[in-house]
Amino acid sequence: KSVLKTRWLAHQLVHLESVDSTNIWAKKHHHELQHGALVLAEEQTGGRGRLGRSWESSKGEGIWMTLVLEPGLPMHDAGKMTQLAAAAMHQAIVGVTGLPVKIKWPNDLLVGDHKICGILTEASGELTRIERLLVGIGVNVNQQAFSGEIAAVATSLRIMMEQPVSRVALLMLFLEIFEKCYDDYVLHQSYGAVLRVVREHSMLLNQPIDVIRGDQRVAARAVSIHEDGRLEVVYEDGQSELLAGGEVSVRRK
Ligand code: BT5
């Protein structure tokens, strides 16, 4: 904690050796966790992705964490927090490694075509207001190789840098940047810096993509990331649509 330079974020810190999923743990222990709490695990045995997918979280090699936030925002702003987390982690990884990281809307960070970080944001509360927001983030830091299903899609900072990367340094820098972005947005209604980062480093903008909903796959072009965090796409028949991250997947062609 001595190296932590945040004003309020992660002052409550739960460090677990092994857990099914830090998001699930945070949900189960919600009464013990205050705004700003950080739940961190060395290993997850049942790490989760979006839309029921799983997230591989090997022991000691990544940052597997959940931030507990009570932003008091309208429910439809949850997507903006995912973009905020992606922008903050982008800046942190670039700051520590200098790697050319891309943001694949809504929740992935990639180096080249390989995924280095995924974000799972879960909001609870009434229909209109976020009571609690869990921002789950997984970063592949020091894996030396991947096997099985994700071998073709995943990479780690260590693989890209060809040397180990400090998880602590990356985490500390991320927390400082995230706190600044969060305060700018939630306290000062200033979201422009986040939008600049996600737009400037977007992997999808102006690219042909497939929009995937269940079994359905429709060709489109990604044209902009809106101020509310949604992705605007234009289909081949000229119709456009604003997509929210929780509903769809997109794939670059
Ligand atoms: C995500 O889902 O990318 C969100 C991942 C969030 C993980 C964090 S870790 C801490 C917190 N606790 C949790 O239980 N979760 C959060 P999605 O966009 O659905 O991507 C999932 C897909 O990524 C999988 O289907 C795999 O193809 C791939 N994948 C799984 N593990 C990976 C890994 N370690 N690195 C790269 N890709 C992976």
Side-chain angles (χ1 to χ4, degrees), residues 21-23 44 46-50 53-56 64-66 107-108 115 118-120 136-138 140 143 146 150 153-154:
S21 148
T22 53
N23 274 36
Q44 295 185 123
R48 293 167 55 234
R50 294 181 310 139
R53 295 191 282 251
S54 63
W55 182 259
E56 205 167 286
W64 323 125
M65 68 177 167
T66 298
N107 68 319
D108 293 348
K115 186 154 160 177
I119 302 171
L120 174 66
I137 306 178
N140 299 326
Q143 291 97 330
F146 292 90
I150 65 165
V153 295

Side-chain angles (χ1 to χ4, degrees), residues 16-19 41-45 56-64 142-143 167:
L16 306 165
E17 237 348 87
S18 181
V19 71
E42 288 299 309
E43 167 188 57
Q44 295 185 123
T45 53
E56 205 167 286
S57 324
S58 55
K59 195 174 188 73
E61 299 184 314
I63 296 175
W64 323 125
N142 281 324
Q143 291 97 330
R167 287 187 300 162

Side-chain angles (χ1 to χ4, degrees), residues 17 36 39 52 80 116 126 155 160 166 186 208 216 229 238 248 253:
E17 237 348 87
V39 181
K80 290 174 90 165
I116 210 132
E126 297 146 34
T155 192
M160 298 313 299
S166 164
V186 177
Q216 195 198 13
V248 294
K253 296 230 226 189

Side-chain angles (χ1 to χ4, degrees), residues 172-224:
M172 294 303 139
L173 183 57
F174 166 77
L175 291 170
E176 283 169 39
I177 297 171
F178 184 94
E179 183 182 82
K180 168 91 172 61
C181 293
Y182 183 97
D183 284 348
D184 282 350
Y185 171 39
V186 177
L187 304 180
H188 311 297
Q189 288 79 51
S190 161
Y191 191 68
V194 168
L195 279 174
R196 263 195 306 284
V197 172
V198 296
R199 286 171 178 163
E200 183 178 338
H201 302 285
S202 168
M203 189 176 183
L204 297 180
L205 286 186
N206 305 313
Q207 300 289 326
I209 58 169
D210 274 333
V211 177
I212 304 162
R213 279 188 183 86
D215 298 339
Q216 195 198 13
R217 185 183 271 256
V218 187
R221 174 170 282 272
V223 295
S224 73

Side-chain angles (χ1 to χ4, degrees), residues 85-189:
M89 186 55 83
H90 180 278
Q91 300 297 81
I93 293 175
V94 172
V96 169
T97 67
L99 286 169
V101 185
K102 285 282 177 194
I103 303 175
K104 178 172 172 277
W105 182 93
N107 68 319
D108 293 348
L109 300 186
L110 295 94
V111 179
D113 282 330
H114 291 87
K115 186 154 160 177
I116 210 132
C117 166
I119 302 171
L120 174 66
T121 307
E122 297 181 279
S124 62
E126 297 146 34
L127 280 176
T128 51
R129 193 170 167 281
I130 301 173
E131 207 166 282
R132 184 158 271 207
L133 196 71
L134 300 177
V135 181
I137 306 178
V139 190
N140 299 326
V141 182
N142 281 324
Q143 291 97 330
Q144 297 192 63
F146 292 90
S147 57
E149 266 180 33
I150 65 165
V153 295
T155 192
S156 73
L157 296 176
R158 180 175 187 157
I159 293 169
M160 298 313 299
M161 296 298 287
E162 299 180 341
Q163 60 181 48
V165 170
S166 164
R167 287 187 300 162
V168 175
L170 178 59
L171 179 61
M172 294 303 139
L173 183 57
F174 166 77
L175 291 170
E176 283 169 39
I177 297 171
F178 184 94
E179 183 182 82
K180 168 91 172 61
C181 293
Y182 183 97
D183 284 348
D184 282 350
Y185 171 39
V186 177
L187 304 180
H188 311 297
Q189 288 79 51

